[in-house]
Each structure stands twice: as structure tokens, then as C-alpha cells.
């Protein structure tokens, strides 16, 4: 695909689909849109001598770690599917690779792509249950996930919380239960996100995103549903 000129007034956007791609663009780099694969630069005619940096969208390239019982286990990465108004946000689940080939693909293993963050975390919980320290343990587990619906202004949020959300000092989380899928479902033995148990928009302490198989931290007690 040829390199085209960026938007003169909004250089951080893709000139074709208007998707936000890079936070602080440089005049001497070529960027690739993660949504429609368009390549663009300030001086497209100089593409042969400019540095091609590829996809730089923070949402797509940033890893969101997932811990299980406080230990690093995997991470999620947000991805885009579709173009323009038909764009969908999906979540890729990756597992930290513990095989003897530690350098293979950066030491990580792709697991799945799911429509929601909770479902992607459920796949990581299944992998840990089937092949981890507690084999075939399908008891319900508690999951704390970032609020994928961005519903940060619930009825119980105070004005102080709302101000803290706006300046970035508080995080919004969904707290809920991952349950095992029973037979005869084709995914029996795997986990699914029990959406009825998730409480979106509650304010939970930051850096507690993860899966808890036994007991949740005390700081989550006011937000976590009963198992």
C-alpha cells in the first residue's frame, strides 16, 4: 500500500479512516493505521529514507498484564476488527510461555481473540486450570477486569470519585465470576464470564486486575460479589 499524506490539522489520525493512531507523530516517520492498514507520513515522497515504525496505536500495542493469585500469568491486548463505523474492539489473550524455548515469539503464546475482556480472561483461567498447578480445577473463580464498557459514572459514584476519574487518579473495574461451562456444551470444561454477576462501573483499587482462584484481596471486599 502506498504512503499517503497525513491530515494537516490532525496528524495523529489516519487520513483514510480517521482512526486515532499515534499520540505524538514525527515528521520523519511513516506510520501504519491499525484499523485499515493505511501507511501515512508528513512527507510521503521521502518514504524510502524515512523510518517506518509500523502500528503505534497505544490501545493495540500496550500489554495489559493478567495475574492469577497475584502471580504474572499472561496479558491481554486490544485489537480492532473492521473499518470505519463497523469497527469492533476485541481482546487477544496471550500466555507467558514457560516452555524450554524461552526466546520463541518473545516468550509469549497466543491463546484466543474474544469479544470482551472478561471472556479473554476466562480463556486464561481455563489454561491455568487444565495445565497449571491445579489440573482440571473448574470451581468458580473471581475476575477483576478493566471496565470495557467505559461506564464510569454509576449511580453510586460520588463527585470526588468522578473528579478523580477525570484526572486519572482512579480506575474503573468490573468485578464478577468466571464459571465452568457444563456438558453437553462444545466448550465444556472451559470458563465463561458470568455477565449477570459482573458489577460494571464500580471503583476498585488500581493494579488489582487479575483472576483469583481462592480468596480475593481484602481491598476488593466491598466490590466483589459472593462466590
Amino acid at each position: 500500500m502506498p504512503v499517503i499524506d497525513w491530515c494537516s490539522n490532525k496528524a495523529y489520525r489516519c487520513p483514510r479512516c480517521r482512526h486515532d493512531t499515534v499520540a505524538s507523530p514525527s515528521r520523519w516517520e511513516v506510520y501504519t493505521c491499525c484499523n485499515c492498514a493505511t501507511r501515512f507520513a508528513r512527507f510521503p515522497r521521502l518514504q524510502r529514507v524515512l523510518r517506518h515504525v509500523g502500528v503505534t496505536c497505544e490501545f493495540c500495542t500496550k500489554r495489559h498484564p493478567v495475574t492469577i493469585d497475584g502471580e504474572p500469568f499472561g496479558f491481554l491486548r486490544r485489537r480492532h476488527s473492521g473499518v470505519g463505523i463497523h469497527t469492533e474492539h476485541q481482546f487477544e489473550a496471550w500466555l507467558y510461555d514457560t516452555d524450554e524455548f524461552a526466546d520463541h515469539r518473545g516468550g509469549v503464546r497466543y491463546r484466543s481473540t474474544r469479544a470482551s475482556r472478561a471472556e479473554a480472561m476466562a480463556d486464561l483461567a481455563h489454561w491455568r486450570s487444565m495445565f497449571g498447578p491445579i489440573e482440571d480445577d473448574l470451581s468458580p473463580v473471581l475476575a477483576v477486569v478493566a471496565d470495557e464498557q467505559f461506564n464510569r459514572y454509576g449511580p453510586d459514584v460520588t463527585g470526588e470519585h468522578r473528579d478523580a476519574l477525570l484526572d486519572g487518579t482512579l480506575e474503573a473495574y468490573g468485578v464478577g465470576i468466571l464459571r465452568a461451562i457444563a456438558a453437553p456444551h462444545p466448550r465444556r470444561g472451559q470458563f465463561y464470564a458470568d455477565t449477570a454477576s459482573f458489577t460494571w462501573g464500580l471503583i476498585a483499587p488500581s493494579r488489582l486486575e487479575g483472576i483469583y482462584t481462592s480468596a480475593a484481596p481484602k481491598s476488593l471486599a466491598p466490590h466483589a460479589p459472593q462466590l
Side-chain angles (χ1 to χ4, degrees):
M1 182 176 292
V3 179
I4 63 177
D5 194 6
W6 69 14
C7 295
S8 58
N9 59 334
K10 296 182 179 179
Y12 59 89
R13 286 187 176 182
C14 170
R16 180 158 293 165
C17 70
R18 303 296 189 268
H19 175 69
D20 292 350
T21 302
V22 58
S24 301
S26 168
R27 294 172 176 265
W28 314 110
E29 293 178 337
V30 178
Y31 303 99
T32 302
C33 177
C34 60
N35 187 37
C36 66
T38 298
R39 294 192 301 162
F40 60 95
R42 176 63 183 89
F43 305 109
R45 294 185 179 181
L46 301 178
Q47 59 177 291
R48 293 181 180 272
V49 297
L50 296 180
R51 178 170 172 257
H52 290 244
V53 295
V55 174
T56 55
C57 173
E58 183 178 356
F59 269 131
C60 296
T61 57
K62 183 178 180 180
R63 294 183 178 186
H64 301 274
V66 173
T67 58
I68 294 185
D69 293 331
E71 297 294 331
F73 190 76
F75 66 88
L76 305 181
R77 182 155 47 196
R78 194 169 182 173
R79 62 169 288 185
H80 297 270
S81 175
V83 178
I85 62 174
H86 302 290
T87 299
E88 295 180 358
H89 300 289
Q90 298 178 317
F91 297 87
E92 292 181 341
W94 291 76
L95 181 72
Y96 291 125
D97 201 343
T98 57
D99 293 343
E100 55 183 297
F101 305 103
D103 295 333
H104 178 62
R105 300 189 65 179
V108 297
R109 181 188 308 157
Y110 170 76
R111 289 300 306 144
S112 65
T113 298
R114 298 294 180 193
S116 73
R117 198 182 193 103
E119 291 173 350
M121 291 184 70
D123 282 341
L124 292 181
H126 168 66
W127 184 264
R128 190 260 189 187
S129 172
M130 295 299 293
F131 304 101
I134 307 176
E135 185 176 356
D136 205 19
D137 178 12
L138 298 178
S139 57
V141 297
L142 187 70
V144 183
V145 302
D147 189 351
E148 60 203 53
Q149 297 181 0
F150 301 101
N151 182 22
R152 299 190 171 192
Y153 305 104
D156 299 327
V157 177
T158 64
E160 292 77 10
H161 282 167
R162 188 177 298 108
D163 294 339
L165 284 170
L166 291 175
D167 61 28
T169 56
L170 280 181
E171 295 289 343
Y173 286 89
V175 183
I177 297 173
L178 305 180
R179 298 188 183 276
I181 297 176
H185 195 279
R187 289 186 63 199
R188 63 185 181 274
Q190 298 188 30
F191 287 100
Y192 73 98
D194 185 0
T195 54
S197 71
F198 272 83
T199 307
W200 298 105
L202 284 177
I203 309 303
S206 61
R207 302 183 185 89
L208 284 178
E209 181 178 15
I211 301 170
Y212 300 92
T213 60
S214 53
K218 292 182 179 180
S219 53
L220 277 178
H223 313 286
Q226 298 296 318
L227 286 177

